[in-house]
Amino acid sequence: MGNAYTRLLSFSHSTDAGAAEGLQEPPTPQFDVSAALEEVPPDVYLKRDTAMTPGILITSKQFLTLQRHIPTRFQSRCWRLLFCSGLHGFSRFALQNSCAEELKSARGKERPAILIISAGSDGSILLGAYISCIPQASNKRYVGTEESFLFCVPASSALASSGGALRIFKPPENAANHYFMRCDNGTIAVGGGGKGPAIFLHEDLTSVCCSTFCPTFDLKESLLLLSENPNGGCYATAGADCPHKVSLEGGEPQTSVRAIQLWTIGDDYYLAS
């Protein structure tokens, strides 16, 4: 009797469990970042007759991380590609022209910028900045607000190949300065003071320098020399262990640029699939 009762309980439990499983909602589909990117229109100068969906230098997971840190009023809005070295080449004039055209068409609407750089000899260093305004050739003084921030994936081939977690660096509450972004003779500087900008993109757009001390974002080490700590933090690598052909000539770390993209955020909202 006891055995039969036990078997009955087991059967009833498994039936209820099966019913419960049948009522479970299907797993949520993974987010595809392409759903959040506006199409690039045809361009007669680039000999492109049709619109195209652009690629982006960050993964869908990294994109969602940035969504949590950008101002709320810009979250869930579509991103628009302004400049891409894969389409425009490493031309600062093309970058400046695209920025000027976007500001003209915005007609006074607020337009932030997201700069993404793939750097290092193998392109496995990811650097970037959210800037509260679009770069202009006339920005010879520092512009921007405290909403600006930096992001990067610490130099590690293993992390880069799997789309490593972004590290976010925001200005401290009592920042030593407000040197958020400056354009001068084709260069773009993000951060300043101390030993120089946290990100300094040279005018030829083919090399980038990251200083070892930038008080704007409370950085006390170069973004190019950060490595991933197994416990989840970052640490600075020794000079002899510079990754991915990062050079220390001249005192501040510098490396080559493999690709650059500059994005802005439009007015339309995207629908997550």
Side-chain angles (χ1 to χ4, degrees):
M1 179 68 179
N3 291 339
Y5 183 66
T6 302
R7 288 196 297 271
L8 179 60
L9 282 178
S10 300
F11 177 79
S12 300
H13 176 74
S14 62
T15 303
D16 292 340
E21 289 178 2
L23 294 175
Q24 287 181 353
E25 295 183 359
T28 304
Q30 289 190 344
F31 173 75
D32 183 356
V33 67
S34 63
L37 308 179
E38 292 186 7
E39 284 192 336
V40 177
D43 192 319
V44 294
Y45 295 103
L46 297 179
K47 299 181 179 179
R48 190 178 61 251
D49 299 328
T50 59
M52 58 171 283
T53 300
I56 190 168
L57 293 174
I58 57 176
T59 65
S60 297
K61 184 177 180 180
Q62 291 167 345
F63 179 87
L64 291 177
T65 297
L66 290 179
Q67 286 294 302
R68 296 195 295 269
H69 291 278
I70 65 176
T72 305
R73 63 187 180 279
F74 292 119
Q75 292 177 7
S76 299
R77 290 194 193 183
C78 293
W79 287 22
R80 181 181 306 134
L81 183 64
L82 298 181
F83 175 84
C84 173
S85 57
L87 296 175
H88 304 95
F90 290 88
S91 168
R92 67 182 176 98
F93 298 107
L95 188 152
Q96 291 171 351
N97 182 67
S98 296
C99 290
E101 289 295 322
E102 177 62 29
L103 289 170
K104 181 179 178 180
S105 63
R107 298 181 179 180
K109 291 183 180 179
E110 192 178 14
R111 287 288 186 263
I114 303 95
L115 175 67
I116 308 176
I117 302 172
S118 172
S121 59
D122 55 2
S124 60
I125 300 176
L126 181 70
L127 304 171
Y130 172 89
I131 309 165
S132 57
C133 56
I134 289 177
Q136 300 182 65
S138 59
N139 292 148
K140 295 187 177 181
R141 294 183 178 181
Y142 277 98
V143 296
T145 69
E146 294 85 351
E147 292 179 334
S148 304
F149 62 86
L150 305 172
F151 56 89
C152 77
V153 174
S156 168
S157 297
L159 278 175
S161 62
S162 60
L166 289 181
R167 295 289 172 178
I168 307 294
F169 302 91
K170 294 188 175 183
E173 290 187 4
N174 299 314
N177 60 55
H178 291 77
Y179 299 161
F180 296 113
M181 188 267 292
R182 183 182 70 180
C183 297
D184 191 7
N185 294 324
T187 65
I188 297 178
V190 184
K195 292 188 176 181
I199 297 177
F200 184 81
L201 186 61
H202 292 87
E203 62 181 6
D204 59 4
L205 306 185
T206 61
S207 60
V208 62
C209 179
C210 299
S211 76
T212 52
F213 175 46
C214 179
T216 309
F217 298 97
D218 197 27
L219 280 172
K220 297 179 175 63
E221 190 48 79
S222 170
L223 295 179
L224 293 176
L225 299 183
L226 292 180
S227 292
E228 186 74 2
N229 187 309
N231 296 324
C234 293
Y235 64 93
T237 58
D241 299 323
C242 286
H244 313 291
K245 293 188 178 179
V246 173
S247 169
L248 293 178
E249 294 180 10
E252 296 304 302
Q254 178 175 311
T255 192
S256 58
V257 170
R258 295 293 298 271
I260 304 172
Q261 291 182 341
L262 185 70
W263 299 79
T264 190
I265 301 177
D267 301 319
D268 296 332
Y269 290 85
Y270 62 83
L271 297 176
S273 56

